[in-house]
Amino acid sequence: MTHPQDSLDSRSTGRQIQLETHGLDVIGDAERKGTPRTLFWPWFGANVSVLGLSYGAFALGFGISFWQALAAGVLGIVVSFLLCGFVAVAGKRGSAPTMVLSRAAYGVRGNRLPSVISWMLTVGWETVLTALATMATATVFSRLGWGGGTETKVVALIVVAALTVVGGVMGFDLIMRLQTWITVITGVLTVVYVGLVADHIHWSTVSAIPAGSAQEFIGALVFMMTGFGLGWVNAAADYSRYLPRSSSSRGVIGWTTFGASVAPLLLLVFGLLLAGSSETLSKAIAADPIGALTTILPTWFLVPFAVVAVLGLVGGAVLDIYSSGLALLSAGLPVPRYLAALFDGVLMIAGSVYIVFFADSFLAQFMGFLTTLGVPIAAWCGIMLADLALRRRDYDEGDLYRPHGRYGDVPLLPLLLTLGATAVGWGLVTNTSASWLTWQGYLLEPFGLGGKTGAWAYANLGVLVALALAFLGTLILGRGRVREQEAQAPSPSPNEGVYST
């Protein structure tokens, strides 16, 4: 990963941005440059979106007070991105994408299961972000009297999708350059937005919001975790793999967590104050999370707001499409990385068309999507973190690509743990607003938690339970397997007899 003062930085040497040819292959030591602090730029740029303001309304929607929502948000954001920081350490220890490093725990072909889940999550996220950018643009144009109807949405979708797909297809160099500019522009304009709408905050109204139950607090906490760090954890090593092996692990963890958390934390506080001050605004955010924020802006700032909204959302979507392409390759698609990213871009556009032009309710489907995929991703994260904690040596890069190497082909333990933890997790979550998810929550009654209408129905305990079960199961049962792997002699060079996908 390139540091602004590094000799390989394209800005200082004039090197042109090129199409990245790396896919699932190992990054050679000669290409591994920079320091952990360079991780700040992609993670901050991906999470500085004004969507963070809308999470204030999402959190209060659980029926909790300002202080409860603030605590749930801070814990959810920091803890979930801390998990990203831990997984990012695997990148500098293994030189490969996240979903390739996952093969150490799942086996070379057994890893296809979490790769498919990871691919679905990242494609879903890039679709949501693209749709939100499109709707926000249409809302701004409507307020300005420049249209805002179908034609505006079509043009906005084309522009946003083009920026996202080009960034994802071109790869690492362009993404790093793009994220730096997005960070600066969106950071400055977001501060201006905060200053312009600060007079809409009424602390007396916010402080009067009644407190909710412990179950409602836990529900908000889990939602914040799935909406932030757990939505990125399966891509956390995709950028740290470019760092030298000698890089500080604490630095990787710290800069990943700090870069990803700082903007959402600040935006959440202000979002809570705005949503808590106006029930009308809070309800409007549920239908159009970004566009609703324009209703309290002066007309002259609408265009700059559109810029900051679109750039912030594109920043996240670009990282998602890049990682979704890598996940698709890891799932077994035998094509170059850029074609995988292009394919995901087509799916992203199709999904965005549905959300923008046909979907009735955004928030209900969004919460259902996050919670449903959040359960298996939490299970994968638990296994990945436990496996990483058990290891005393760097990954054997060659065997990450060999079905008959030390990591195996389809080991049963991680797959059974993932399926078991997911089954338990889905039994402990509910989302009645999304009709396609009414089958969930089947364990709430047997476990004495009040069934699908009881107090624990919306706590979404399943995400935390899946994470804990998978982590503890691997920590207890996987120790011998890891020790056996690390007792073997180093394998031949990574390019000898490897399985490419």
Side-chain angles (χ1 to χ4, degrees), residues 145-393:
W146 297 349
T150 301
E151 295 83 1
T152 302
K153 292 177 181 178
V154 170
V155 174
L157 179 57
I158 291 173
V159 173
V160 172
L163 288 172
T164 302
V165 172
V166 169
V169 168
M170 289 298 293
F172 181 80
D173 282 343
L174 180 58
I175 288 174
M176 291 300 291
R177 181 82 67 89
L178 183 64
Q179 294 298 77
T180 301
W181 282 107
I182 287 176
T183 296
V184 174
I185 296 172
T186 55
V188 171
L189 292 180
T190 300
V191 170
V192 176
Y193 175 89
V194 169
L196 289 173
V197 301
D199 60 345
H200 289 269
I201 295 174
H202 306 290
W203 176 246
S204 59
T205 304
V206 175
S207 60
I209 299 174
S213 65
Q215 293 91 334
E216 290 167 331
F217 172 81
I218 294 173
L221 170 64
V222 172
F223 179 76
M224 299 301 287
M225 290 182 67
T226 54
F228 286 99
L230 283 179
W232 287 109
V233 70
N234 54 310
D238 291 353
Y239 304 94
S240 55
R241 64 185 173 132
Y242 280 89
L243 290 174
R245 299 179 193 278
S246 58
S247 300
S248 165
S249 295
R250 290 184 179 181
V252 170
I253 295 170
W255 282 106
T256 298
T257 306
F258 175 67
S261 298
V262 61
L265 287 173
L266 296 174
L267 291 170
L268 172 70
V269 173
F270 200 74
L272 286 170
L273 292 171
L274 283 176
S277 299
S278 171
E279 186 176 354
T280 301
L281 176 63
S282 187
K283 291 180 178 179
I285 288 173
D288 185 0
I290 304 297
L293 297 172
T294 68
T295 59
I296 54 177
L297 276 175
T299 303
W300 68 267
F301 192 70
L302 289 177
V303 171
F305 177 83
V307 172
V308 68
V310 169
L311 284 180
L313 294 168
V314 166
V318 165
L319 261 66
D320 275 317
I321 196 172
Y322 178 75
S323 293
S324 71
L326 294 174
L328 189 56
L329 295 182
S330 184
L333 186 67
V335 299
R337 182 204 59 80
Y338 61 88
L339 288 182
L342 187 61
F343 173 74
D344 288 348
V346 173
L347 294 180
M348 175 192 76
I349 293 171
S352 299
V353 168
Y354 170 75
I355 294 175
V356 172
F357 297 103
F358 300 103
D360 295 326
S361 172
F362 170 81
L363 183 57
Q365 309 303 324
F366 180 53
M367 292 178 70
F369 163 75
L370 286 181
T371 303
T372 300
L373 287 185
V375 171
I377 284 296
W380 170 86
C381 182
I383 289 175
M384 183 71 177
L385 290 175
D387 182 82
L388 184 63
L390 289 171
R391 297 190 181 278
R392 299 293 178 265
R393 299 181 181 179

Side-chain angles (χ1 to χ4, degrees), residues 90-149:
K92 70 105 176 178
R93 291 178 63 178
S95 318
T98 312
M99 298 315 297
V100 169
L101 299 170
S102 177
R103 292 174 177 177
Y106 281 88
V108 175
R109 288 190 176 95
N111 190 62
R112 286 184 173 184
L113 173 63
S115 294
V116 169
I117 297 171
S118 173
W119 173 73
M120 292 172 61
L121 182 64
T122 46
V123 169
W125 262 113
E126 69 204 42
T127 300
V128 166
L129 295 176
T130 300
L132 287 176
T134 301
M135 292 189 293
T137 302
T139 301
V140 168
F141 273 57
S142 178
R143 280 204 59 196
L144 289 170
W146 297 349

